[in-house]
Amino acid sequence: MGSAWLSRSIRSLILTVLCFLTSATTLLKSENVGCDEYLGSDKVVDKCGMCGGDNTSCKVVSGIFKDSLSSVGYHKIIEIPEGATKINVTEMAKSRNYLALRCRSGRSVINGNWAIDRPGKYEGGGTMFTYKRPNEIRSTAGESFSAEGPTNEALDVFMIYQQSNPGVQYEYILPNVNVVSPLLPPSIRPGKTETFQHLT
Ligand SMILES: *[C@@H]1O[C@H](CO)[C@@H](O)[C@H](O)[C@H]1NC(C)=O
Ligand SMILES: *[C@@H]1O[C@H](CO)[C@@H](O)[C@H](O)[C@H]1NC(C)=O
């Protein structure tokens, strides 16, 4: 009788411990884990991709190209520098124009030499571009391409112009050269931040 009671209470002890462990794990999982993987840390990745950063280590470059062009053909409209990330070039409305992309070294990435490529993925400048051209008749969206980067060389965006330009919106992120890295030896640090900023 004694041993039956003992095994019953061991079983109930084991069940209690298991139950406790399960609820403890659930509790831990529901706690926030920051991007630094510390429990309860509320650190998030900033727009520069830095965990716990304050958005100052990069520069967002954006704009709209809306000049009207006059002659049919390829016109260079935007330059994407080396080191750019989160690239997005989007025609603001559907048109008969096409976007084209070429590496500074001369290699065509999308829509080169008067040949129109299918929408899809195209490698260029060390990154993968996703080229979209909404095909549905009813769609009013324009062409676009985007890439995560970083680019390992400059790229030029062209418009193959055929009719009036509805505007092309572009955005990319560059590392901020004004941030002095603590790893730089003092000899090549800019003497005065002020003068340095004037140069840019
Ligand atoms: C960084 O920028 C993002 C998006 O613009 C913003 O939500 C966030 O609050 C900014 N973080 C800091 C620390 O300024
Ligand atoms: C690119 O920008 C356009 C216009 O701002 C936006 O609608 C689209 O979602 C963006 N695409 C990507 C991949 O971020």
Side-chain angles (χ1 to χ4, degrees):
M1 182 204 163
S3 83
W5 175 85
L6 191 65
S7 79
R8 224 182 308 135
S9 53
I10 286 176
R11 211 180 308 146
S12 110
L13 179 70
I14 289 174
L15 282 178
T16 312
V17 168
L18 279 180
C19 179
F20 171 78
L21 286 178
T22 314
S23 50
T25 320
T26 319
L27 197 71
L28 284 182
K29 274 186 188 152
S30 65
E31 184 85 44
N32 271 341
V33 177
C35 54
D36 52 3
E37 296 188 340
Y38 277 105
L39 196 65
S41 145
D42 55 1
K43 284 190 179 170
V44 294
V45 176
D46 73 359
K47 68 181 186 191
C48 306
M50 189 181 275
C51 179
D54 60 358
N55 293 340
T56 55
S57 63
C58 70
K59 186 166 74 177
V60 178
V61 180
S62 64
I64 298 177
F65 176 84
K66 38 184 180 201
D67 296 9
S68 46
L69 302 167
S70 51
S71 60
V72 168
Y74 284 85
H75 297 267
K76 182 162 135 184
I77 61 170
I78 299 157
E79 295 185 351
I80 302 171
E82 181 182 342
T85 57
K86 306 236 181 285
I87 302 159
N88 181 348
V89 177
T90 303
E91 211 186 1
M92 290 163 76
K94 193 177 206 161
S95 76
R96 285 178 53 231
N97 304 325
Y98 292 95
L99 296 174
L101 184 66
R102 194 164 71 187
C103 293
R104 190 60 59 79
S105 60
R107 188 174 72 84
S108 170
V109 181
I110 299 169
N111 293 345
N113 303 314
W114 297 99
I116 302 303
D117 292 315
R118 293 159 181 266
K121 299 208 181 280
Y122 295 90
E123 194 279 323
T127 186
M128 191 62 81
F129 284 88
T130 303
Y131 173 44
K132 290 188 185 159
R133 184 171 60 237
N135 263 331
E136 312 80 52
I137 301 284
R138 277 178 302 137
S139 168
T140 54
E143 295 197 345
S144 69
F145 50 71
S146 56
E148 276 303 305
T151 52
N152 63 9
E153 70 170 297
L155 294 121
D156 294 316
V157 179
F158 291 80
M159 175 180 281
I160 309 179
Y161 176 75
Q162 311 200 74
Q163 61 154 212
S164 74
N165 163 28
V168 178
Q169 211 165 13
Y170 61 94
E171 182 171 306
Y172 54 82
I173 291 178
L174 287 181
N176 197 344
V177 288
N178 286 337
V179 172
V180 179
S181 161
L183 296 176
L184 287 181
S187 58
I188 61 167
R189 275 185 207 161
K192 267 166 134 187
T193 323
E194 256 173 287
T195 14
F196 191 59
Q197 273 167 351
H198 273 299
L199 295 175
T200 59

